[in-house]
Amino acid sequence: MSEDRPGPAGGEAGGPQFDFLLQEPLSRARGGDSLQKQLLRRLRAAVLDGRLPAGSRLPGSRALAESLGVSRNTVTLVYDVLSTEGYIEPSKQGTRIAALARPEPENRAHPAPVALARRTERISGRDSGGADSLLFTPGVPALGHFPLAAWRRSLDRVLQQGGTELLGYGPPRGEPALRTAILRHLALARGMRCNPEQIVLTNGAQEALSLCVRLVADPGDTAWVEDPGYGGAQTALACGDLTVVPVPVDADGLRTSASDWEDRPPRLVCTTPAHQYPTGAVLTASRRLDLIEKCRLHGAWIVEDDYDGEFRHSGEPLACVQGLAPGAPVFYVGTFSKTLFPSLRLGFLVLPEPLADRAAPVVDELLRGGHRHEQLALAHFMESGQYGRHLARMRRLYRRRRDALRTALAEHFDVPHTVTGGDSGMHLAVRLPPDVPDQALARAARRHGMGPRPLSRHSLLPDAAHNGLVLGYGNTPESAFTPGLRQLARLARELD
Amino acid sequence: MSEDRPGPAGGEAGGPQFDFLLQEPLSRARGGDSLQKQLLRRLRAAVLDGRLPAGSRLPGSRALAESLGVSRNTVTLVYDVLSTEGYIEPSKQGTRIAALARPEPENRAHPAPVALARRTERISGRDSGGADSLLFTPGVPALGHFPLAAWRRSLDRVLQQGGTELLGYGPPRGEPALRTAILRHLALARGMRCNPEQIVLTNGAQEALSLCVRLVADPGDTAWVEDPGYGGAQTALACGDLTVVPVPVDADGLRTSASDWEDRPPRLVCTTPAHQYPTGAVLTASRRLDLIEKCRLHGAWIVEDDYDGEFRHSGEPLACVQGLAPGAPVFYVGTFSKTLFPSLRLGFLVLPEPLADRAAPVVDELLRGGHRHEQLALAHFMESGQYGRHLARMRRLYRRRRDALRTALAEHFDVPHTVTGGDSGMHLAVRLPPDVPDQALARAARRHGMGPRPLSRHSLLPDAAHNGLVLGYGNTPESAFTPGLRQLARLARELD
């Protein structure tokens, strides 16, 4: 817009409607808003609230600038913005206030009931968030034992050496160096079979779970979940508008039945085979092979969520389902939230080999890469052996804590209970009698700085066996076990 | 599993089936796999491929250890893992190979056609990814002008001072310090009205768009998008299984019609009001107020994608739609990919005030926080004024580049064309005559190291007016404009 368009010089432009601009002087405080911004805001507000009615002619920029004691350029720029935004418009007799659609006052409130999507009704109020620092919160690793100084050095090295090229988006599926490092580690440690093109780096395991759903499941498709099971998987499935079918878990892991396969065959089967969450069961080889076979027959896909399989307390980590058969119909989901630290928010998905060629272009459209410095720092951390050493240290630490927690439960938690799990990972499941309702106990515990999760929160079907607590020991020091469990026992008795 | 369970001592256990274990000695190379891992792998493979048939009795751990020249403990641990995994099981006569479900060879391939979800058919092959470093790639800021050293210091300061507490998940909606800093900036710069509880930090703008869909739209709901428009929005809507309706754009931005409101009322209206992508139009105040009003009447929500509104080249950045009316039904989506750098992968969503109380708990279930160091480094960057100074520098740089690109187009791009946009941001839209098909030109350009996007890729409806190129100048130096445009003109002529 050119300098001369706003109102021609002359008495008829401007007028008393514009007096409000002069009633309060513009603020010239240092560090405050610019004069331009203040003038703009006042004029917009006056148009919106009707003080400047449609058709009013603007004062000339020179006249207004003089009245306000600002430079003419300031007024011109303000008029430019208002013109771009459509608050003012040129006319034959100079620039005028535009006629704006103005809502009737009775329409001001959102009239329709403020409705969320149907799926969110299934998600809302699940309250899965544990505070990182509460005693016994599951799923949080030993934050104080992370080699933060070494990590800082790895990250700073990348920031310093990577140059500005690393500031761009980068490959949608993530940095090739990290994908290769993950593949090497998983092939050795877990018997993974894949190539780097199948690996997708994600914003935590949750994005990996969402990707599985987006790639292969349509709304209304059936997904099987373990019951009790991991709430995050249920959330990801609910977000994809899938029908979630709970499947029971026993000491051998997920227990599917012929009638389930017949009556409600799944599109996705979500499972935690290495260390069932929360019961701790290991899915047996026989059930793994059977699951692969059945999924192949039914065109279904396994989602193998391997959230803490690195921390096996006796002997080697277990092999993954993914590597059990060539071309197995398995999405493998991994995360560094437990092996490194949660705030890194870095997970990954291994695409099933039979699907990889078709899924990769879709993934490249859905994701935007990013977080390249963190990914390259981690690649260096893994290739230099620091990751492996950290895992080994953490395995020892968690085994000690697991042993100590079992002992403390036996000696100091004088409420009838049975303990399951504990071969891997960072938590024990403690079943409680029905007269100790777990959700009430967890609420009481929270008031005392403790964050165990109620077992029943992980169940879709009501079942008395799913009353209890998930006690995390990842980020809880041994010294807190005895006083914590005594306190929990006291709280349990008070619930009676 | 205890030491003595695997096979009793005695000649009948083990036998010739186990000879394969001895045929090739275990590798003792330093840095290679542990003996335990090798033994485990061989035994698993032999069970899976049938060399060890179900019911075979395992050799005693002492005997096998002696034959292999390994410690008995190694064998015991291997047997433990195999037992946990269900490859072997106890029997009255010692430990035996378990009977595993074994797929028939003809079932080995996935029998059902390997199908992706229906929605992915709409996403696959869109090929929106431009390489960061190609000339004229839109959407990439001036990477070489980012104050990387200052950012490194900000980040390292947080890593050093934040301690181990920051390694945890943190609040799902992100660090309060950054949410407050964003709010302060937006209230001043863009007239945003909200409180920090409405702000959600996301993994780039793409996650913010997905969240809008997840929160309020059910599969089959209608969403309006600008045509031509931003492909990322279409992807997010397709992922939510919405029906996408293209709505035309003119010089005043999104042009909705009474019949559209009547015949196919939307649940979501996606728009880029500050600088329409890719045409560059600004949505006028009158249309903004009308859109708010209509959305209120129809229970619809505006998704205001403000991808580059900070870079307005004349005068102040424009006010946002979100702040235009109290309680406006607007999701505001912002990103730091353009103002800082894409690899940071940090965006945000401002929840509409009328929805915030109900949506916040759902968001807290969907997101897991994380990236806390980056978020706090950015909060410091903003509060210390470094962000504002960087924005001001980049505004000047992009204005210079915009002017230079306009000049170079007029002087050196001797193909008939019209230029639109350029009041804000980092790209110009250049319309071309129909005899220069834009997709072929973009493909040819790519072979010469240039990444302009074909305009027709942004259109859902075929329209001759949408033939042209989106020329990004964010990350392309002025010196490359003239040779680049001459090359593009040559390539355009060769297409004839």
Side-chain angles (χ1 to χ4, degrees):
Chain A
M1 189 164 183
S2 67
E3 277 281 311
D4 55 352
R5 256 202 282 158
E12 68 276 51
Q17 309 99 301
F18 288 88
D19 288 350
F20 73 95
L21 284 173
L22 309 174
Q23 275 158 12
E24 199 186 336
L26 297 171
S27 156
R28 284 154 203 273
R30 239 189 111 72
D33 269 4
S34 68
L35 296 173
Q36 195 176 320
K37 218 170 237 164
Q38 294 175 58
L39 184 54
L40 196 50
R41 201 156 44 212
R42 285 194 196 180
L43 281 165
R44 277 196 200 115
V47 179
L48 287 171
D49 67 16
R51 271 177 293 164
L52 291 178
S56 315
R57 279 177 57 195
L58 286 180
S61 56
R62 187 192 308 268
L64 184 59
E66 274 172 19
S67 317
L68 292 168
V70 301
S71 81
R72 187 170 168 198
N73 194 38
T74 297
V75 176
T76 314
L77 285 171
V78 165
Y79 282 3
D80 263 2
V81 173
L82 291 175
S83 165
T84 304
E85 294 182 332
Y87 285 90
I88 61 177
E89 55 193 14
S91 76
K92 275 184 196 149
Q93 292 81 32
T95 306
R96 295 182 181 274
I97 301 296
L100 301 185
R102 211 179 306 277
E104 299 301 316
E106 64 268 29
N107 291 336
R108 288 254 162 152
H110 218 272
V114 173
L116 295 178
R118 283 190 299 273
R119 72 177 74 83
T120 58
E121 304 297 329
R122 298 154 67 186
I123 296 164
S124 193
R126 183 174 282 148
D127 178 32
S128 66
D132 298 316
S133 58
L134 295 183
L135 298 185
F136 300 129
T137 295
V140 183
L143 303 180
H145 291 255
F146 181 73
L148 187 51
W151 176 253
R152 258 182 66 211
R153 281 193 301 273
S154 273
L155 191 57
D156 199 57
R157 189 178 142 276
V158 177
L159 279 160
Q160 200 166 2
Q161 297 178 0
T164 54
E165 198 259 326
L166 284 185
L167 299 174
Y169 285 93
R173 270 170 279 164
E175 289 301 313
L178 179 55
R179 288 149 68 191
T180 304
I182 289 174
L183 185 146
R184 280 201 197 119
H185 175 76
L186 289 178
L188 272 179
R190 317 299 303 278
M192 170 78 64
R193 307 173 195 231
C194 75
N195 66 60
E197 294 304 300
Q198 286 169 255
I199 298 189
V200 181
L201 304 180
T202 57
N203 193 43
Q206 202 61 21
E207 184 176 56
L209 291 169
S210 285
L211 268 181
C212 299
V213 174
R214 290 181 161 189
L215 286 171
V216 299
D218 286 308
D221 279 358
T222 295
W224 289 2
V225 296
E226 296 172 334
D227 194 41
Y230 173 57
Q234 295 164 23
T235 299
L237 300 168
C239 275
D241 298 282
L242 304 195
T243 302
V244 174
V245 170
V247 175
V249 168
D250 63 20
D252 289 341
L254 184 75
R255 194 183 73 224
T256 67
S257 68
S259 64
D260 282 343
W261 284 107
E262 193 71 29
D263 301 340
R264 34 190 191 178
R267 184 75 175 147
L268 287 175
V269 180
C270 293
T271 174
T272 49
H275 189 226
Q276 203 277 327
Y277 191 85
T279 67
V282 174
L283 189 66
T284 59
S286 197
R287 287 197 182 172
R288 288 170 186 226
L289 291 168
D290 180 62
L291 191 59
I292 290 176
E293 178 64 2
K294 293 279 187 10
C295 282
R296 276 177 166 152
L297 282 172
H298 288 83
W301 302 94
I302 299 165
V303 179
E304 176 176 24
D305 182 358
D306 199 36
Y307 64 105
D308 71 357
E310 293 287 347
F311 297 126
R312 203 173 131 70
H313 300 317
S314 48
E316 297 291 327
L318 305 182
C320 59
V321 178
Q322 196 273 357
L324 212 51
V330 176
F331 288 95
Y332 177 97
V333 174
T335 177
F336 292 97
S337 292
K338 322 293 180 199
T339 54
L340 292 173
F341 60 96
S343 170
L344 181 59
R345 204 86 204 95
L346 182 55
F348 56 92
L349 176 66
V350 183
L351 298 170
E353 189 265 316
L355 198 67
D357 285 349
R358 295 198 51 204
V362 183
V363 172
D364 287 352
E365 181 59 35
L366 293 176
L367 303 185
R368 294 283 183 284
H371 305 300
R372 302 172 74 184
H373 299 105
E374 292 77 5
Q375 292 179 6
L376 289 172
L378 178 51
H380 174 254
F381 213 68
M382 293 181 85
E383 298 290 1
S384 63
Q386 295 178 85
Y387 180 70
R389 287 195 294 278
H390 176 61
L391 282 188
R393 274 195 304 269
M394 290 303 100
R395 262 186 221 116
R396 288 193 296 274
L397 177 75
Y398 296 144
R399 185 166 50 203
R400 274 204 312 275
R401 289 190 175 173
R402 189 242 356 222
D403 293 344
L405 184 57
R406 280 182 173 162
T407 306
L409 275 164
E411 293 178 2
H412 303 291
F413 188 63
D414 53 358
V415 175
H417 66 273
T418 53
V419 178
T420 68
D423 279 354
S424 297
M426 319 184 294
H427 74 267
L428 293 175
V430 178
R431 293 183 199 275
L432 293 170
D435 59 342
V436 184
D438 58 4
Q439 301 197 18
L441 181 56
R443 275 194 302 274
R446 216 174 163 92
R447 288 193 292 270
H448 289 80
M450 293 181 281
R453 293 275 298 151
L455 209 49
S456 61
R457 279 264 183 205
H458 299 284
S459 291
L460 291 172
L461 298 177
D463 183 337
H466 302 157
N467 183 58
L469 294 178
V470 183
L471 291 180
Y473 50 81
N475 198 32
T476 301
E478 289 170 45
S479 60
F481 290 167
T482 298
L485 290 174
R486 283 184 173 155
Q487 177 76 275
L488 276 179
R490 259 195 305 277
L491 294 171
R493 282 191 298 271
E494 285 168 13
L495 290 178
D496 280 345
Chain B
M1 188 162 182
S2 68
E3 277 281 310
D4 55 351
R5 257 200 282 159
E12 68 276 54
Q17 308 101 301
F18 288 89
D19 287 352
F20 73 94
L21 283 175
L22 308 173
Q23 278 158 11
E24 198 188 336
L26 297 171
S27 157
R28 284 156 202 273
R30 238 189 111 73
D33 269 4
S34 68
L35 298 172
Q36 194 176 321
K37 220 170 234 164
Q38 294 175 61
L39 185 54
L40 195 50
R41 201 155 45 210
R42 285 192 195 181
L43 282 165
R44 276 196 200 116
V47 179
L48 288 171
D49 68 16
R51 272 177 292 164
L52 291 178
S56 313
R57 278 179 54 194
L58 285 180
S61 57
R62 188 193 307 270
L64 184 59
E66 274 171 19
S67 318
L68 292 168
V70 302
S71 80
R72 186 171 168 198
N73 193 39
T74 298
V75 176
T76 314
L77 285 171
V78 165
Y79 281 3
D80 263 0
V81 172
L82 290 175
S83 164
T84 303
E85 294 184 330
Y87 286 90
I88 61 177
E89 54 192 14
S91 76
K92 274 184 195 150
Q93 291 82 32
T95 306
R96 295 179 181 277
I97 302 295
L100 302 184
R102 211 179 307 277
E104 299 303 314
E106 64 268 29
N107 291 336
R108 288 254 162 154
H110 217 271
V114 173
L116 296 178
R118 282 190 298 273
R119 73 178 74 83
T120 59
E121 305 297 331
R122 298 155 66 185
I123 296 165
S124 193
R126 182 174 284 152
D127 179 32
S128 67
D132 298 316
S133 58
L134 296 183
L135 298 185
F136 300 129
T137 296
V140 184
L143 303 181
H145 290 256
F146 181 72
L148 186 51
W151 176 252
R152 258 183 66 212
R153 281 194 300 274
S154 273
L155 190 56
D156 200 56
R157 190 178 141 276
V158 177
L159 279 159
Q160 201 167 359
Q161 298 178 0
T164 54
E165 198 259 327
L166 284 184
L167 299 173
Y169 286 92
R173 270 171 279 165
E175 289 301 314
L178 180 55
R179 288 150 68 191
T180 304
I182 289 174
L183 185 144
R184 278 200 198 122
H185 175 76
L186 289 178
L188 270 180
R190 316 299 301 279
M192 170 78 64
R193 306 174 195 229
C194 74
N195 67 60
E197 293 304 301
Q198 286 170 256
I199 298 188
V200 181
L201 304 180
T202 57
N203 194 42
Q206 203 60 24
E207 184 175 58
L209 292 169
S210 286
L211 267 181
C212 300
V213 174
R214 290 181 161 188
L215 286 172
V216 300
D218 286 308
D221 279 359
T222 295
W224 288 2
V225 297
E226 296 172 335
D227 194 42
Y230 172 57
Q234 294 164 24
T235 299
L237 300 168
C239 273
D241 298 282
L242 304 195
T243 302
V244 174
V245 170
V247 175
V249 168
D250 63 20
D252 289 341
L254 184 75
R255 194 183 72 224
T256 67
S257 68
S259 64
D260 282 344
W261 284 107
E262 192 71 28
D263 301 340
R264 33 191 193 178
R267 183 77 175 146
L268 286 175
V269 181
C270 294
T271 176
T272 49
H275 189 225
Q276 203 276 329
Y277 192 84
T279 68
V282 173
L283 190 66
T284 58
S286 196
R287 287 196 183 172
R288 289 173 185 223
L289 290 169
D290 180 61
L291 192 58
I292 289 176
E293 178 65 1
K294 292 279 186 15
C295 282
R296 277 179 167 152
L297 281 172
H298 288 83
W301 302 94
I302 298 165
V303 179
E304 176 176 26
D305 181 357
D306 198 38
Y307 64 106
D308 71 359
E310 292 287 347
F311 297 126
R312 201 172 134 70
H313 300 318
S314 48
E316 297 291 327
L318 305 181
C320 58
V321 178
Q322 196 272 358
L324 212 50
V330 176
F331 287 96
Y332 177 96
V333 173
T335 177
F336 292 97
S337 291
K338 321 295 180 198
T339 54
L340 292 172
F341 61 96
S343 172
L344 181 60
R345 205 86 203 97
L346 183 55
F348 57 93
L349 177 66
V350 183
L351 298 170
E353 189 264 316
L355 197 68
D357 285 348
R358 295 199 51 202
V362 182
V363 172
D364 287 351
E365 181 58 36
L366 293 176
L367 303 185
R368 294 283 183 284
H371 305 299
R372 301 173 74 185
H373 299 105
E374 291 78 5
Q375 291 179 6
L376 290 172
L378 177 51
H380 175 253
F381 214 67
M382 293 180 84
E383 297 291 2
S384 64
Q386 295 178 85
Y387 180 70
R389 287 194 295 276
H390 177 61
L391 281 188
R393 273 194 306 269
M394 291 303 100
R395 262 187 220 116
R396 287 193 296 273
L397 177 76
Y398 295 145
R399 186 166 49 200
R400 274 203 313 274
R401 289 191 175 173
R402 190 249 345 230
D403 294 344
L405 185 57
R406 281 182 173 163
T407 307
L409 275 164
E411 294 179 1
H412 304 290
F413 188 63
D414 54 358
V415 174
H417 67 271
T418 51
V419 178
T420 67
D423 279 354
S424 296
M426 320 184 293
H427 75 267
L428 293 175
V430 178
R431 294 184 199 274
L432 293 169
D435 59 344
V436 184
D438 59 3
Q439 301 198 18
L441 181 56
R443 276 193 301 274
R446 213 172 165 94
R447 288 193 291 272
H448 290 80
M450 292 181 281
R453 293 275 299 151
L455 209 49
S456 62
R457 279 265 183 206
H458 298 285
S459 291
L460 292 172
L461 299 177
D463 182 337
H466 302 157
N467 183 60
L469 293 179
V470 184
L471 291 179
Y473 50 82
N475 198 33
T476 301
E478 288 170 46
S479 60
F481 290 167
T482 298
L485 290 173
R486 283 183 173 158
Q487 178 76 273
L488 275 178
R490 260 195 304 277
L491 295 170
R493 282 190 298 271
E494 284 167 13
L495 290 178
D496 279 347

